[in-house]
Amino acid sequence: MAPTHLRHAMLACGVSLGVLAASPAHADSTADAASASASDADAGRTIVVNGEKGETVASGATGLALSLMDTPQSVSVVDRTFLDDFALDETNQLLRYVTGVNVDQVETERTYYNARGFDIVDAMIDGISLPNIWGPTIGAQDSVMWDNVEVVRGANALLTGAGNPSGTINYHRRHPTGQRHMSAELSYGSWNKKRAEVDLDLPLTADGKWAVRVTGAAQDGDSYLRSYHHNRTAISGVLDGEITPSLHLSAGYIRQDSNSTGVMWGALPLQDSKGNQLSFPISTSTTMDWTYWKIHDETAYGQLTWDFAPGWSVRAHVTRKYHNEDSRLFYVYGTPKQDSQTGAWGGLFGNPGAYAPVAKGWIYDGTVQGSYRLFGRDQQLTLGVQRTVGTYEYYGRAVPDSDPAWGQIPGLPDSWTGQEVALPAYGASVQQEHTEDRQWRLRGASDVSLTEKLSVLLGASYLVEKTRGISFGASTDKNEKALSPFVGVTYKALPGVNLYASYSSIFAPQANLDIDRRPLGAAKGKSYEAGLKAQTPGGGLFGSVAWFRAEQSNLADAGAYDTATGQTLYNGIRAVSRGVEAEVGGKLTSTLTIQAGATTLKMDDGAGRQVRTYVPRNTANLALRWNPIAPLQLGAAVKWQDTIYSGTVRQGDYATLQLQAGYKLNENVQFNFNVANVTNHKYLTSLYWTQAYYAAPRNVTGSVRVTF
């Protein structure tokens, strides 16, 4: 995979989640369950699959206040306790333990997520959809600001409007609880990793009806990778208040800044000129010492919720997002070749790049929801409209063709020191793209209880997207619109046992250009799911089994590389995915908690030819937490995947093990210790591209948390 400028990667990190560390330089490169106040209350009482199971509301699946049992889709949630116990400080780490989700770290600063064979490109914050014209969730996002992270697997046309068959990530902010709480944590780990966290939960009035929550983290450290150093700061502030008993306000701000040096743009060449797969030391990097990648991202929002009638509320929401980056990068391409006479290696060439994208936009969202009587029963209804306005500008600094940075590099990366290529002579900054995206989305859904046992969920989302702009001289103009219906059925077969089935159409806008440098257009298709959900009396243990099938046409697949512009160009392919998922979570005993899941899938072009072979066909995850005595907790987390390949490059099946121990000295002081990749297994982080690098070897993290 050559370096690309792709706009959607920038917008993914820049305007999607507000605090993402993604890639500027490559082209690939609330509709809540209830009102704002109710949603906040849910956040406080919701105990999710990855914790002690309780009454969980899956707001990110339908926009209706449905429990996990009554939601006709697969849903997993990672709670705050799980994040703290296993020291999962960023999104890339926590998503590894979600059933069916795969994390492809293709470079030091860029990551893709996939589920059920397809990239996850839809996200929400507190149930507010982030349009996928701004791309997938990319990069190392700090987890300090999230109370929990909900992943809805399968197509989700009701809230995202696109119905992408992979899934949707719904990030829930840490809202005020109305009670005073303060905590601070210091941690230290391998490669001189230093981290500090703070959480301030402060009521502003005696009755707690006005309160503020401020969370933040600062982290700095080196790496097992040669020359790589990374630091970031993240801060979140949320104000919740009751203006009147029926009018509620929520407002907040999130900011993340990250700075990395010795970064990788692209990764290691994996095959030599004879087709042999190469192996390098784990620390090997293609970076030069003068590379860096700086990312600034901020999001502000305001929301009013009015309970205007018994059982009915209306919510008005606005989000402002801004993102910019500055990078100086070095890409290595070519095929390593060994001289038969001297044994010296060559065949690799440099490609310097410097990029500074700016992405900004607004999200306006309005929702009305409530209940009505039909068939002698209370039914739920939600209606919503969303307007999105986004602007993207992309700047680059060229290096003259005569500069030595474009030349051949002797040897292999494992022998490099980072000083093989001198800092090139970058030219002045030039705007290479300006694109404006406009999107309207109308949505509606109703959960209709036909009998005591049978419910039908009916909904649809209508999406209109208009894009205008120029990218490297090529037009990005497009007009697309589609209606995406959703149908779900839930049947209470036995006490604590539900059967369900659902269908959604797929309409997924794509920012890619085809091989003629014209907009590729949206991927389209269908998604089906059927399954069983069960829980023990009291909800202590929850389990589910799901069968799924999804088919897409015109799905973007890398087809060519334009050396003149540095763009990857795409073909639209057909892809069919089908498989089975199983998951169980909750309390096995009063002292033992489990979270486990497994996914098996098949994926081809509908005619038997395998596609997207870098996606593992079989994965499994298991996490156990045990409290043998009151102050002591022991934990273990395992993730396994089978063999993947890209062309003739393979990564064999492997499992990683993380062990955890926590000790609560008293009510105010708690110690925690984690060892990741305990077996010190060597494996590639991804085969999403034809290049890759190695995951971290065994590493340790220790921390102390003080609560006031």
Side-chain angles (χ1 to χ4, degrees):
M1 167 65 69
T4 54
H5 91 291
L6 288 175
R7 60 178 293 275
H8 72 266
M10 297 306 85
L11 296 172
C13 68
V15 198
S16 72
L17 293 181
V19 284
L20 298 183
S23 87
H26 322 251
D28 256 32
S29 3
T30 191
D32 289 315
S35 67
S37 58
S39 177
D40 298 343
D42 287 341
R45 66 178 172 80
T46 297
I47 302 179
V48 297
V49 177
N50 277 336
E52 300 172 2
K53 179 68 181 69
E55 183 184 357
T56 302
V57 175
S59 62
T62 64
L64 299 167
L66 299 178
S67 68
L68 287 181
M69 284 289 292
D70 296 327
T71 300
Q73 283 186 259
S74 299
V75 184
S76 296
V77 191
V78 181
D79 67 4
R80 186 72 239 172
T81 303
F82 190 87
L83 299 181
D84 290 338
D85 287 346
F86 287 100
L88 305 179
D89 299 329
E90 61 185 48
T91 310
N92 293 348
Q93 297 170 343
L94 71 91
L95 288 175
R96 294 185 190 279
Y97 295 109
V98 176
T99 297
V101 175
N102 302 298
V103 178
D104 282 307
Q105 290 185 264
V106 296
E107 300 168 332
T108 54
E109 313 305 306
R110 177 159 47 166
T111 304
Y112 294 119
Y113 311 134
N114 65 71
R116 298 186 174 180
F118 301 101
D119 288 350
I120 298 176
V121 297
D122 297 316
M124 297 184 286
I125 297 180
D126 283 350
I128 295 294
S129 176
L130 303 171
N132 61 9
I133 59 171
W134 285 336
T137 55
I138 295 179
Q141 181 187 14
D142 204 291
S143 63
V144 70
M145 68 280 294
W146 307 129
D147 180 72
N148 64 74
V149 178
E150 177 183 278
V151 179
V152 183
R153 293 187 296 281
N156 189 11
L158 285 185
L159 288 184
T160 65
N164 188 287
S166 57
T168 303
I169 304 173
N170 188 14
Y171 299 85
H172 290 272
R173 294 181 178 93
R174 295 172 83 169
H175 283 265
T177 62
Q179 298 182 355
R180 183 180 181 276
H181 169 88
M182 295 187 293
S183 67
E185 183 177 28
L186 295 175
S187 60
Y188 185 82
S190 299
W191 309 298
N192 199 31
K193 174 187 173 183
K194 301 176 288 291
R195 180 178 173 88
E197 287 187 23
V198 64
D199 177 18
L200 305 176
D201 190 354
L202 304 173
L204 302 178
T205 58
D207 58 8
K209 292 183 179 180
W210 285 89
V212 64
R213 185 82 174 264
V214 178
T215 56
Q219 181 172 311
D220 182 87
D222 297 316
S223 171
Y224 67 98
L225 294 171
R226 175 186 59 80
S227 304
Y228 183 67
H229 182 92
H230 176 77
N231 67 68
R232 71 170 179 260
T233 59
I235 187 169
S236 170
V238 177
L239 170 70
D240 287 342
E242 182 180 294
I243 300 173
T244 71
S246 60
L247 184 62
H248 303 271
L249 168 71
S250 183
Y253 175 78
I254 290 175
R255 171 172 174 161
Q256 177 166 304
D257 291 278
S258 64
N259 181 20
S260 299
T261 58
V263 300
M264 294 182 74
W265 186 32
L268 305 176
L270 298 177
Q271 279 186 313
D272 65 16
S273 59
K274 296 180 179 180
N276 300 313
Q277 185 164 334
L278 298 171
S279 179
F280 300 99
I282 290 178
S283 61
T284 303
S285 172
T286 56
T287 191
M288 293 295 136
D289 287 348
W290 43 263
T291 63
Y292 68 81
W293 205 321
K294 298 178 181 179
I295 303 171
H296 167 82
D297 205 300
E298 56 185 325
T299 302
Y301 84 95
Q303 179 173 287
L304 284 173
T305 304
W306 177 35
D307 301 324
F308 64 90
W312 284 87
S313 66
V314 59
R315 184 199 62 211
H317 178 102
V318 61
T319 288
R320 170 64 173 174
K321 307 184 73 64
Y322 177 81
H323 176 95
N324 66 47
E325 302 185 19
D326 180 31
S327 64
R328 195 165 64 196
L329 307 173
F330 185 71
Y331 179 81
V332 175
Y333 68 98
T335 303
K337 182 178 181 179
Q338 189 174 30
D339 188 286
S340 59
Q341 301 297 321
T342 67
W345 285 91
L348 296 179
F349 299 84
N351 184 341
Y355 307 92
V358 177
K360 52 190 174 181
W362 293 88
I363 299 173
Y364 307 94
D365 193 277
T367 300
V368 176
Q369 54 188 14
S371 61
Y372 62 96
R373 296 286 293 181
L374 184 66
F375 306 131
R377 300 174 179 276
D378 288 331
Q379 318 290 1
Q380 294 187 59
L381 174 69
T382 180
L383 301 171
V385 59
Q386 185 178 92
R387 170 66 168 168
T388 303
V389 179
T391 301
Y392 176 74
E393 296 175 347
Y394 186 85
Y395 300 86
R397 291 187 289 145
V399 174
D401 293 344
S402 59
D403 194 289
W406 290 102
Q408 184 170 358
I409 311 171
L412 287 174
D414 60 350
S415 65
W416 296 355
T417 65
Q419 299 179 1
E420 282 72 19
V421 177
L423 175 65
Y426 287 103
S429 180
V430 176
Q431 186 180 78
Q432 296 168 323
E433 178 176 350
H434 178 87
T435 299
E436 295 182 353
D437 291 295
R438 303 291 185 267
Q439 191 180 98
W440 279 100
R441 193 165 59 83
L442 303 175
R443 62 184 184 273
S446 183
D447 182 50
V448 181
S449 177
L450 299 177
T451 70
E452 186 176 341
K453 294 185 175 182
L454 181 64
S455 295
V456 177
L457 177 63
L458 301 172
S461 178
Y462 182 68
L463 177 68
V464 179
E465 181 190 4
K466 180 181 290 187
T467 301
R468 294 290 181 268
I470 297 291
S471 173
F472 287 81
S475 173
T476 59
D477 292 0
K478 60 180 178 178
N479 292 302
E480 296 182 295
K481 56 185 176 181
L483 177 68
S484 298
F486 180 96
V487 180
V489 179
T490 302
Y491 180 72
K492 295 178 171 58
L494 296 169
V497 178
N498 285 2
L499 303 176
Y500 74 91
S502 62
Y503 161 85
S504 178
S505 68
I506 297 168
F507 176 77
Q510 301 176 117
N512 313 84
L513 297 180
D514 65 19
I515 57 174
D516 296 318
R517 300 187 71 225
R518 294 193 298 257
L520 183 64
K524 301 177 182 180
K526 301 176 181 179
S527 177
Y528 308 86
E529 182 173 334
L532 176 151
K533 297 184 178 183
Q535 64 181 9
T536 57
L541 191 64
F542 176 88
S544 65
V545 178
W547 169 87
F548 59 88
R549 176 185 171 88
E551 51 191 65
Q552 288 194 85
S553 60
N554 199 42
L555 180 66
D557 184 63
Y561 176 62
D562 188 333
T563 56
T565 63
Q567 292 174 288
T568 296
L569 304 177
Y570 290 80
N571 295 310
I573 66 169
R574 174 176 167 78
V576 179
S577 169
R578 61 270 191 203
V580 177
E581 286 178 339
E583 186 169 33
V584 62
K587 280 194 169 183
L588 292 175
T589 70
S590 60
T591 61
L592 183 61
T593 301
I594 186 175
Q595 163 61 24
T599 300
T600 181
L601 67 87
K602 296 180 179 180
M603 194 171 191
D604 55 42
D605 63 355
R609 185 179 70 88
Q610 296 294 300
V611 297
R612 299 172 68 85
T613 57
Y614 58 85
V615 175
R617 277 16 184 189
N618 300 284
T619 61
N621 57 280
L622 169 66
L624 295 170
R625 286 180 287 174
W626 179 43
N627 293 96
I629 57 176
L632 178 65
Q633 176 180 287
L634 302 176
V638 178
K639 179 64 181 282
W640 171 83
Q641 71 172 51
D642 65 352
T643 299
I644 57 176
Y645 63 95
S646 178
T648 58
V649 177
R650 303 176 69 84
Q651 167 60 62
D653 67 301
Y654 67 88
T656 59
L657 169 65
Q658 179 166 338
L659 297 178
Q660 177 264 343
Y663 186 80
K664 193 171 184 178
L665 183 65
N666 53 46
E667 291 300 316
N668 303 105
V669 180
Q670 183 172 343
F671 298 96
N672 198 32
F673 185 76
N674 274 271
V675 183
N677 195 1
V678 173
T679 61
N680 206 33
H681 187 71
K682 181 181 179 181
Y683 63 97
L684 296 168
T685 59
S686 170
L687 287 181
Y688 193 95
W689 294 346
T690 54
Q691 297 179 336
Y693 69 103
Y694 296 103
R698 182 187 302 116
N699 60 95
V700 300
T701 301
S703 67
V704 56
R705 179 182 296 271
V706 180
T707 303
F708 305 94

